[in-house]
Amino acid sequence: MDASGLPLLDRRITDCRACPRLVSWREEVARVKRAAYADWMYWGRPVPGFGPADARLLIVGLAPAAHGGNRTGRMFTGDRSGDVLYKALYDVGLASQPTAVHAQDGLELYGVRVTSPVRCAPPANKPTPQERDTCRPWLVQELRLLRPTLRAVVVLGAFGWQAALPAFAEAGWSVPRPRPAFGHGARFGLDGLELFGCFHVSQRNTFTGRLTPAMLRDVLRTAARTAGLPTTAG
């Protein structure tokens, strides 16, 4: 397996119908829509990863937002969490623009790929453990394809951390037991890979100041430099 297989994997992901509850919800949201997006043709399918196939840095979230990725078809695109994430990536020199509005808006990521352990928008942003585990093989395959170039990973939030570690183990990395605990600023090495924990870019965290733009930039900049990517000063 090599990086040339990522486009095929992404296409396969978008056809997945393995979790009945998630399929029903994502399609209902796409049909009913939010009033502000009444004129949109919602994506309403699983959302693949976004970013280059030879990424050195991977960002792992939770799941697409109902009116974000589920609407636009691209990770962290079209919602306030994505606004925060892509602005920070732009600020540290890892994105071509500070906004992510739709899948054809010209946004490029430099050496960075964004993904999630659950590919469908879940009700109340809460996938079940069974749905998380059913979706895991997609992340495992993505990690295997990225392994030749991947050097650092930023995991957003405790859910993503708990979902990502088993995926890394299945993809061939040696994950210690007991598994390292999640925390903002947590860091540990994993067979030549550095994992970083960061509070999720959810509105609950960003509106309350639990995660500030400066905190996010610091984690992204440290991870990028660890991965050998150039960043802006700061």
Side-chain angles (χ1 to χ4, degrees), residues 153-223:
V153 180
V154 173
V155 183
L156 303 174
F159 181 96
W161 187 269
Q162 293 163 3
L165 291 182
F168 277 105
E170 286 189 37
W173 278 272
S174 297
V175 178
R177 287 187 174 276
R179 290 174 179 157
F182 171 78
H184 184 83
R187 176 178 179 175
F188 76 97
L190 195 68
D191 293 347
L193 191 69
E194 289 290 315
L195 265 63
F196 296 83
C198 179
F199 290 143
H200 197 278
V201 289
S202 66
Q203 293 182 54
R204 180 173 58 185
N205 287 338
T206 58
F207 283 9
T208 61
R210 188 178 190 221
L211 178 67
T212 66
M215 291 167 63
L216 178 58
R217 288 194 300 267
D218 285 346
V219 173
L220 293 175
R221 186 177 285 111
T222 300

Side-chain angles (χ1 to χ4, degrees), residues 43-152:
W43 173 253
R45 300 165 68 184
V47 181
F50 169 55
D54 59 351
R56 299 180 67 85
L57 171 62
L58 182 67
I59 298 173
V60 180
L62 190 161
H67 302 281
N70 188 57
R71 172 171 60 89
T72 64
R74 194 174 70 189
M75 285 286 174
F76 281 105
T77 298
D79 59 48
R80 291 186 176 180
S81 294
D83 292 343
V84 172
L85 177 61
Y86 289 120
K87 176 62 163 59
L89 286 169
Y90 175 78
D91 288 345
V92 300
L94 298 175
S96 63
Q97 60 192 45
T99 57
V101 180
H102 56 79
Q104 287 77 44
D105 60 8
L107 174 64
E108 294 183 57
L109 301 183
Y110 305 137
V112 181
R113 186 171 173 89
V114 182
T115 192
S116 66
V118 176
R119 306 299 174 133
C120 295
N125 291 322
K126 293 181 179 179
T128 67
Q130 181 178 356
E131 289 163 349
R132 174 201 64 201
D133 294 346
T134 299
C135 208
R136 182 180 299 147
W138 296 126
L139 181 57
V140 171
Q141 292 179 62
E142 190 172 19
L143 291 171
R144 287 173 175 162
L145 290 166
L146 291 169
R147 185 161 190 165
T149 59
L150 193 62
R151 297 295 177 266

